[in-house]
Amino acid sequence: MNPKLGLLERIALGLALTVSLTIALSRSPLWHGADFIAAILDENYATLLDAVPGRPHTTLAFLILIIVIHAGLFVPNRPLLIPSIVTTATLGLAAYPWSVIRWHQVFPDIFGIPRSLGPLDWFFLALPILILIAAAALIQVRATLHHYEGKGIHRADLRPIQLHLTREALLLGGIALGITLAGGILLALATNLPTPNVLRDNPLIVILSAILLVIAGIITGTRLLARHAD
Amino acid sequence: MLTRSGLAVLTLASFLLVAALATGNLVVLTLALLPLSFLILGAAATQPRRIHAELKLPERAVRLGENLLVTVEYEVRGGRGIVELHQPVPGPFLLVSGSNVHVLSKRPGVLRGSYIFTVRATRRGEHIFPPLDWEHMGALGLTGSRKGNAGLGAAMHVRPALRVVRRVPRTSSKGPLMGAEAETSPAGIAGTEFREIRQYQHGDAPKTINWKATARADRRRRHVPTTARHNGPPYPPPDHLIPLVNEYEREGQQHSWIYLDCGPHMRLGTTAENAFEAGVGAAIAVAQYLLARGHRVGFTLYNRKEPLHLYPDVGKRQLFVIQSALAHAEPTDSTGGLAAAVLESKRFLVGTRHRIVVISRAEADHPGLPDGLRLLRRIAGGRRRRAGILLIGIDPYGLIPEAHAGTISARLLVRARQRARHQTIARTGATHLEWDPATTRIEEILHTRRMVQ
């Protein structure tokens, strides 16, 4: 039992992740009025942007995502790192219209028209994260079983453990979804509270956010939180 | 700490959190809760509070080569995930069936159970089974594993193997016959040492009948409870009742002495199988044979810092004494020689006719063996008769794992080189029996009487 992802599994994971991210990105209100992308491209490339009627720029997004994600899945020992980065960037871009900080006022060339989120929007935004968590859990379950197989325990004897781990992953995933839903409801309620204008469109918040971004990058890069990772 | 998978989930959560903070995006912040809560749920409250284990070994002593059943009973309280239980087995034990590693999936609550495996003892002596090792891994492996020990372990005493020898060949001695089977002492004086309870045979004295044992055997035969009152018809006549009699060890008229070599040259072989281990088995087999025929058997371990001498005695008790002495014996670095040990046991040999069995390596390059055999012949034989001396020469080269063809050729060269030594031993008057323990059992070699010419 190979604990790592096989070739077909990587391709399948990449396709699933790419499709879900493309759908999430194409459903974003970010593209409304984003003609500037077509304006900066040549006419021949501009036709690619309208390949799917009603879904602005889906084909381009799909092509970019499928190349980057599949390239990232073949990175030795860290197959989920680049897909995690790409997922974060894509979701951040797709959900930008719902940001409190209006970067389009800091950088006038970027703009978007926000609209309310429906359940389907939430589903397509959460789906790539669920796929990544499932992939991480799958890799770990297989590594655990491979570890005990290496100690001479037969696969038939490990089947109860395999079922136990699968049930555990599904249970934890379900609870995590519930917590996320509860968190979303709480945050939605919180945004209805009157908020002073100082929190909106404030360059100071932009600077503080940038500093936090850098610090988070340093922490992740130096592996301070994963000192004993195996 | 976190494993690779835990780090992957944390990284995803971190990226989403940072993106949410950078853009002030509540939607992305909500999405970050998904991997973060998954990580916290998978990593929290997974460690067991207590793991208890108890190792159960057979209560009776085990003999070399026997299988023994090992039972491990465990109890795990609290936590969830995967618990691996590993009962270490001492090196001289071979795993025969089952596994000493047990993996179980732990859910919240208390988990009790046991697992069994069988091992075989390949080396005599005292062996310690260490405490149980356990390792706990979180349910999805998001955090690192935790290890510990449980239980106290146990000790197991492995006695030398007990083999039954039916015949010992006659030697080339012109004096009294060596064949001990012809000199069993059935008419010897009954001693005071109890031997066994057996059925009555014609010629047994009535005073030797054990009435209590006879009554118990009769009740068992007819299934009658001892405390029940009988109000029914009379019992059926005891037409099949055979009395049981006490038998005592007979004071044998024949005397024998066994010498076992403990020198460094007896280490040749592997840790579990070497010349000394083979010699221990041979010594016990010969002692058992002689004692079963009423001989008074003495025993000496020589080539030690201080040779061990066991006073000659009869019966199973003497066999137990010899086995106990051999249970803890090991080869030493001393080469005091057979002659020194013979001189120390001289007082037992002089005056009575003994048959001597020497167990050693005939081809080992040390001068003590021929000198010791000559001294034995002089002391035990006396002026007018020659002592029957049997030398069991162990050939341990078959016990060495054959790594390549050169090893086989080396063995043949060694054997060819030792022919002159065999002639030297033959001139001492001893009967030399060459034995390869890798291919032949001691019972077979004594039965077929293969001697070195």
Side-chain angles (χ1 to χ4, degrees), chain A residues 22 26 31 34 37-39 41-64 67:
Chain A
T22 305
S26 65
W31 307 108
I37 296 178
L41 294 176
D42 186 74
E43 286 182 2
N44 294 326
Y45 290 103
T47 56
L48 292 175
L49 304 180
D50 296 321
V52 178
R55 294 289 183 264
H57 319 302
T58 300
T59 305
L60 180 62
F62 184 85
L63 287 174
I64 296 173
I67 292 171

Side-chain angles (χ1 to χ4, degrees), chain A residues 77-78 81 84-85 88 91-92 95-96 98-101 103 117 122 125-126 129-130 132-133 136 140-141 144 147-148 151 153 161 164-165 167-169 172-173 175-177 179-180 183-184 187 191 209 212-213 216 220 225-226 228-230, chain B residues 1-12 14-16 18-19 21-35 37-38 41-42 80-84 99 101-107 135-142 144:
Chain A
N77 297 327
R78 295 190 182 279
L81 178 62
S84 296
I85 296 172
T88 303
L91 293 179
Y96 168 74
W98 298 289
S99 298
V100 173
I101 298 176
W103 286 92
L117 279 167
W122 278 108
L125 285 172
I129 302 175
L130 282 174
L132 280 174
I133 293 175
Q140 183 56 44
V141 167
T144 302
H147 169 73
Y148 289 115
K151 293 194 174 186
I153 300 175
I161 294 177
H164 168 77
L165 293 177
R167 280 197 299 266
E168 191 85 9
L172 293 183
I175 297 175
L177 268 176
I179 293 174
T180 305
L187 287 172
T191 54
S209 299
L212 276 174
L213 199 93
T220 305
L225 296 176
H228 298 294
D230 56 352
Chain B
M1 296 303 289
L2 293 176
T3 59
R4 282 187 184 274
S5 292
L7 179 62
V9 177
L10 178 64
T11 302
L12 179 62
S14 303
F15 286 160
L16 290 171
V18 168
L21 291 173
T23 56
N25 196 318
L26 298 180
V27 173
V28 178
L29 188 66
T30 304
L31 293 174
L33 289 176
L34 186 54
S37 56
F38 185 83
L41 287 169
R80 66 181 202 277
I82 300 172
V83 179
E84 176 190 332
S99 175
V101 178
H102 187 66
V103 180
L104 49 96
S105 59
K106 175 69 176 61
R107 295 178 184 177
E135 181 177 357
H136 171 264
M137 185 182 296
L140 293 177
L142 297 176

Side-chain angles (χ1 to χ4, degrees), chain B residues 111-122:
Chain B
L111 178 64
R112 295 187 185 90
S114 65
Y115 65 97
I116 299 172
F117 58 95
T118 305
V119 295
R120 180 181 300 147
T122 63

